[in-house]
Amino acid sequence: MHKRHFLISTLLLITSCLSSISAVAAEHNNLKRLIPSALKAGDTIALVAPAGALDEQIELDIAVESFEAMGFKVKVGKHVLSRDGYFAGTDQQRAADINQAFADPVVKGIFAIRGGWGCNRILPYIDFDQVKAHPKIVFGYSDITSLLNAFYTKAGLVGFHGPVGVSYWGKDQAQQLNDMLIQKQKVVIKNPDDKDADALTQRKHRIQTLRGGSASGKLIGGNLTVLSSMAGSDYLADWSGHILFLEDVGESLYRIDRYLSTLQMAGKLQQLNGIAFGQCTKCKSEKGYGGFTLRQILEHYFLPLNIPVFMGGQFGHVKDNNILPVGINVKIDADKGQLILLESAVD
């Protein structure tokens, strides 16, 4: 009798979870997708710190000067230099800066000054009705994955996975921002061609095709660790028919295995049309007998899906971090290691 009651309780729990997941998917599918307006020279952007605290004032100065050098005016969030443990202020304070930036008619884009950890904690305090009423460019990567996916799921807002304020902003990153967010170009996101002058073949920025072919769908994704931490929540969209991109940093490979297992068990990977894996920076391989390579782990989870997959894309925790628009229709070409925008990422 006890075993029967256990089985019934387990079945009810599974049914409840599936109903919740279905409700989230239905809510997202009924949302109108919101493509933010393009930026232009002289626009005001807001710098916010939704996660980790800044270590020094000079980090803020460099970020402000980088955006000013690209022709923007900069408003700094009220709590950017606040501190609460390892966060840039309390959860409520960090969320308040984001809500204020969406409500401010002068602000045309919202850029995270850094990642770290903490965006999941502020999601309950975000005013998603404000996001829907005033859709704007939201930009960042790493822990900002949480915000980009939550805005897409809860408000239908297209966001941008790319360098944060304290990241290296060079000519290539500035040009990408200009092409995608100002000029509205349907860009091709690919690795640089930088064969050494005396090399017989390209050695850096190599693409590895795990399964060739091409497919289309809306782009979704971000940092693997953050995405797995959101699995099962109502802040993670239905991935049916999407193209997934992933990156990570500072993780042992067994943890990469664990995070992918989480997404697999949550039924997320099985929904996809294609996968682009970027950089796994400082991801330590296992020592001794029985360790897997990163490619072997990815092949284990991705090859059975029978969809186009490549690894080695130039995005993630790297100096030259490509910009990827979350929620925009793209084509993945796994043989070339490219993501081709099929529509402009901004209006």
Side-chain angles (χ1 to χ4, degrees):
M1 183 64 71
H2 292 299
K3 184 176 182 180
R4 181 184 177 190
H5 286 163
F6 173 77
L7 290 174
I8 292 173
S9 298
T10 302
L11 181 60
L12 289 173
L13 177 61
I14 293 172
T15 302
S16 175
C17 290
L18 289 174
S19 298
S20 177
I21 292 171
S22 297
V24 173
E27 178 188 4
H28 176 70
N29 290 335
N30 290 330
L31 275 176
K32 176 185 177 183
R33 190 178 54 150
L34 300 175
I35 299 179
S37 298
L39 294 174
K40 62 181 184 296
D43 276 349
T44 298
I45 63 105
L47 273 179
V48 297
L54 291 179
D55 293 325
E56 298 183 41
Q57 170 74 40
I58 194 171
E59 294 179 305
L60 175 59
D61 297 339
I62 290 172
V64 170
E65 290 171 17
S66 293
F67 288 108
E68 288 177 343
M70 288 185 275
F72 301 117
K73 299 174 184 175
V74 180
K75 269 193 172 185
V76 177
K78 179 180 178 181
H79 300 101
V80 162
L81 293 175
S82 297
R83 187 121 195 188
D84 181 46
Y86 39 73
F87 298 125
T90 65
D91 297 343
Q92 293 87 344
Q93 288 173 333
R94 302 194 316 277
D97 278 2
I98 293 173
N99 291 333
Q100 175 58 36
F102 272 105
D104 189 340
V106 174
V107 171
K108 305 303 180 185
I110 304 169
F111 288 71
I113 194 165
R114 64 156 297 179
W117 159 247
C119 287
N120 278 2
R121 291 178 50 145
I122 70 173
L123 295 181
Y125 306 107
I126 297 294
D127 185 346
F128 289 100
D129 289 333
Q130 188 80 259
V131 176
K132 293 177 190 176
H134 307 287
K136 299 178 182 183
I137 288 169
V138 178
F139 203 103
Y141 82 113
S142 194
D143 196 57
I144 313 307
T145 292
S146 175
L147 295 180
L148 298 178
N149 281 270
F151 289 151
Y152 181 57
T153 300
K154 290 291 190 178
L157 179 64
V158 167
F160 298 87
H161 183 278
V164 291
V166 298
S167 294
Y168 176 84
W169 283 92
K171 291 182 179 179
D172 287 345
Q173 282 63 51
Q175 188 63 52
Q176 283 187 38
L177 187 148
N178 178 75
D179 292 345
M180 190 181 296
L181 301 186
I182 297 177
Q183 301 300 327
K184 308 182 185 181
Q185 293 181 15
K186 301 175 186 177
V187 302
V188 177
I189 301 164
K190 61 181 182 178
N191 286 13
D193 300 320
D194 55 357
K195 188 178 76 171
D196 294 335
D198 60 346
L200 299 180
T201 189
Q202 183 169 338
R203 301 181 65 86
K204 296 186 296 184
H205 302 127
R206 296 274 308 201
I207 290 293
Q208 298 184 62
T209 301
L210 275 60
R211 186 181 295 281
S214 62
S216 300
K218 291 184 178 68
L219 193 61
I220 194 76
N223 181 265
L224 173 58
T225 301
V226 176
L227 288 171
S228 68
S229 76
M230 300 174 75
S233 77
D234 61 357
Y235 296 108
L236 205 59
D238 174 20
W239 287 1
S240 297
H242 283 68
I243 306 296
L244 176 69
F245 71 93
L246 296 170
E247 61 85 24
D248 221 315
V249 61
E251 296 287 351
S252 296
L253 292 188
Y254 82 89
R255 292 181 182 272
I256 299 298
D257 193 334
R258 177 187 294 166
Y259 302 144
L260 290 174
S261 177
T262 298
L263 295 180
Q264 181 190 62
M265 290 189 296
K268 307 301 289 183
L269 301 180
Q270 298 88 326
Q271 303 172 355
L272 299 166
N273 282 3
I275 302 173
F277 197 97
Q279 300 298 311
C280 202
T281 305
K282 298 180 181 178
C283 291
K284 295 177 286 187
S285 60
E286 304 307 312
K287 295 181 179 179
Y289 179 78
F292 293 110
T293 65
L294 176 61
R295 176 165 181 154
Q296 287 172 324
I297 293 169
L298 299 186
E299 287 178 338
H300 173 80
Y301 289 101
F302 297 161
L303 290 187
L305 303 174
N306 199 30
I307 57 177
V309 183
F310 72 83
M311 64 182 291
Q314 190 63 18
F315 53 87
H317 289 72
V318 289
K319 179 180 176 182
D320 300 314
N321 186 7
N322 283 339
I323 300 170
L324 292 87
V326 172
I328 289 297
N329 282 299
V330 302
K331 175 183 175 182
I332 181 174
D333 185 330
D335 297 292
K336 295 181 179 179
Q338 296 180 352
L339 294 167
I340 302 104
L341 269 63
L342 300 178
E343 59 183 334
S344 174
V346 289
D347 275 340

